[in-house]
Amino acid sequence: MNDHAQLKLIEKYKEAPVLRYYVNGKDIIQSPRNVYLIDFHGLSESEARNAYPDLYQWVLNRVKPEREQNRDPKLRKNWWLHRRSRSDLREMSGKLTHLIVTTRVAKHRVFTTIKISTAADYNLACIALDKHHSLGILSSRVHNIWSLKSGGTLEDRPTYNNTLCFETFPFPELTDEQAAKIGQLAEQIDAHRKRQQAEHPTLTLTGIYNVMEKLRAGEELNAREQTINQQGLVSTLLADHDALDRAVFNAYGWDDLAKALVGLPGATTPLPDKPAAQAEAEEELLMRLVALNKQRTAEEAQGKVRWLRPDYQAPEEAAPTQKELQSTTAEANAPAADKTKTTWPKDLATQVTLLRDMLAASPHSAESLAAQFKRKPLKGVNEVLSALAALGQAQQDDEHWRLVR
């Protein structure tokens, strides 16, 4: 919905949860289109019609005729709903106020935040974390070098894959002071960019970071780039990014690499023909991250996990931070019906083995798998299923999962 005839509908329903601001990659790195979409998720046809008659008719006139020609009987039946509900993202983001997003394909690897009510296009990688220090770590040179190495490319532009770039990345353990400092810098950077873009509608993130790369390289700016620098206050933003990089390196205990890398070009985009000293320092950084990744994997196999969102990922474990968690399962308080069920194992290897064996016997929904264990650990089951799917060992058909042989 984006032409003049639709403005009245947007104005009438702009506070309604079914009318959602919609963004894609170009909205993030270039200029926003100010597009909305209708999302009747969770509503029956009659509920949508009665609660939002104008929006219902819009969908009735434009969507239903096309859906009636679709070969998929489920789409014909549920014509007022989106093809994919993204139920996993809805569940993960349910208690958050914002999501962290980055474009899957872009010249510069830049992370920003969107409101939880915003609908994100498939070409945005969405990360269900809303702590500012998480945004800071992802926006740092440490993570960007990791993602540039572990992700792929489309033509000459880097791609970001959640499974390869995010799920394998070992976050640092932060003290309260480090989290506050990194979070403050990340929030400052994100607010700076949004403020300057709001004041100068033609200003884009691509333009800002192109200029930042030239400033890092000590190259002279042309007239257009000088305008971007002035409108975006890019020199100030660069200083904030360097401060963030130093803070994140310090959180890992790698101040030596901060001295070797902070301030150099290539922080957000691949740098061809980089100096040997910089290439050597980046290779050392990657080796340390790989070693830390292996250490974390070994610890998780022993049941020691540093959750990024313990309230969501491990609600059964009372852990307020990312620190190693210990089980707090109180079996004495479990319902009588749970006494005959298996306890959800703490170590990842056993979790994987159990679910693989169950799927080998027959297909299951995540709900039915979780129901086999005490306290129904649905979130843990979903995480293992997602991991198996990423490894090509499991596949979801509708609501059921099956083992890929």
Side-chain angles (χ1 to χ4, degrees), residues 29 102-107 109 123 153-154 157-160:
I29 62 173
T102 187
T103 50
R104 293 192 185 277
V105 182
K107 177 180 178 181
R109 181 56 50 213
N123 63 17
T153 58
L154 180 63
R157 294 167 296 165
T159 62
Y160 193 89

Side-chain angles (χ1 to χ4, degrees), residues 170-171 252 254 287-297:
F171 278 67
Y252 282 98
W254 299 338
M287 290 176 62
R288 293 185 192 184
L289 288 170
V290 168
L292 184 57
N293 174 279
K294 290 182 178 179
Q295 176 187 330
R296 297 283 175 80
T297 301

Side-chain angles (χ1 to χ4, degrees), residues 247-362:
V248 174
F249 274 116
N250 178 260
Y252 282 98
W254 299 338
D255 289 334
D256 58 323
L257 292 180
K259 294 177 182 178
L261 290 172
V262 173
L264 297 180
T268 59
T269 191
L271 179 67
D273 303 322
K274 64 187 67 173
Q278 180 176 350
E280 183 178 341
E282 290 183 0
E283 188 65 26
E284 175 63 21
L285 170 61
L286 290 169
M287 290 176 62
R288 293 185 192 184
L289 288 170
V290 168
L292 184 57
N293 174 279
K294 290 182 178 179
Q295 176 187 330
R296 297 283 175 80
T297 301
E299 290 174 348
E300 288 178 8
Q302 299 299 317
K304 298 178 180 180
V305 184
R306 295 164 174 82
W307 304 108
L308 295 175
R309 283 181 59 196
D311 59 325
Y312 171 77
Q313 294 172 294
E316 69 279 6
E317 299 188 27
T321 69
Q322 273 196 45
K323 297 186 184 292
E324 295 178 357
L325 304 178
Q326 301 298 328
S327 173
T328 57
T329 303
E331 293 191 15
N333 296 326
D338 278 356
K339 297 297 184 181
T340 59
K341 296 181 179 180
T342 302
T343 299
W344 180 243
K346 302 307 300 177
D347 64 288
L348 181 61
T350 305
Q351 294 172 5
V352 170
T353 299
L354 282 175
L355 293 193
R356 278 179 54 86
D357 289 346
M358 294 169 72
L359 292 177
S362 65

Side-chain angles (χ1 to χ4, degrees), residues 214-225:
K214 295 195 74 171
L215 291 174
R216 290 186 188 278
E219 298 177 9
E220 185 177 351
L221 304 182
N222 61 33
R224 181 173 177 274
E225 291 164 342

Side-chain angles (χ1 to χ4, degrees), residues 8-24:
K8 288 185 178 180
L9 276 182
I10 293 174
E11 181 63 26
K12 180 177 180 179
Y13 290 105
K14 64 181 180 181
E15 301 300 330
V18 298
L19 188 64
R20 304 177 64 192
Y21 191 66
Y22 171 69
V23 296
N24 64 13

Side-chain angles (χ1 to χ4, degrees), residues 45-113:
E45 181 183 355
S46 61
E47 289 171 336
R49 175 176 179 171
N50 292 334
Y52 309 102
D54 298 334
L55 297 180
Y56 172 85
Q57 179 163 300
W58 184 274
V59 176
L60 177 70
N61 290 339
R62 292 163 175 79
V63 177
K64 188 177 182 182
E66 181 179 337
R67 286 289 181 89
E68 287 177 338
Q69 306 304 315
N70 198 287
R71 296 167 63 183
D72 187 337
K74 186 176 180 181
L75 288 179
R76 294 198 302 270
K77 180 181 179 182
N78 300 318
W79 59 267
W80 68 97
L81 300 176
H82 287 277
R83 176 188 293 268
R84 296 181 178 86
S85 67
R86 302 193 75 176
S87 56
D88 55 344
L89 181 60
R90 292 179 192 266
E91 180 187 359
M92 286 188 289
S93 60
K95 295 183 179 180
L96 303 181
T97 59
H98 291 77
L99 288 175
I100 298 173
V101 298
T102 187
T103 50
R104 293 192 185 277
V105 182
K107 177 180 178 181
H108 294 280
R109 181 56 50 213
V110 179
F111 292 82
T112 186
T113 58

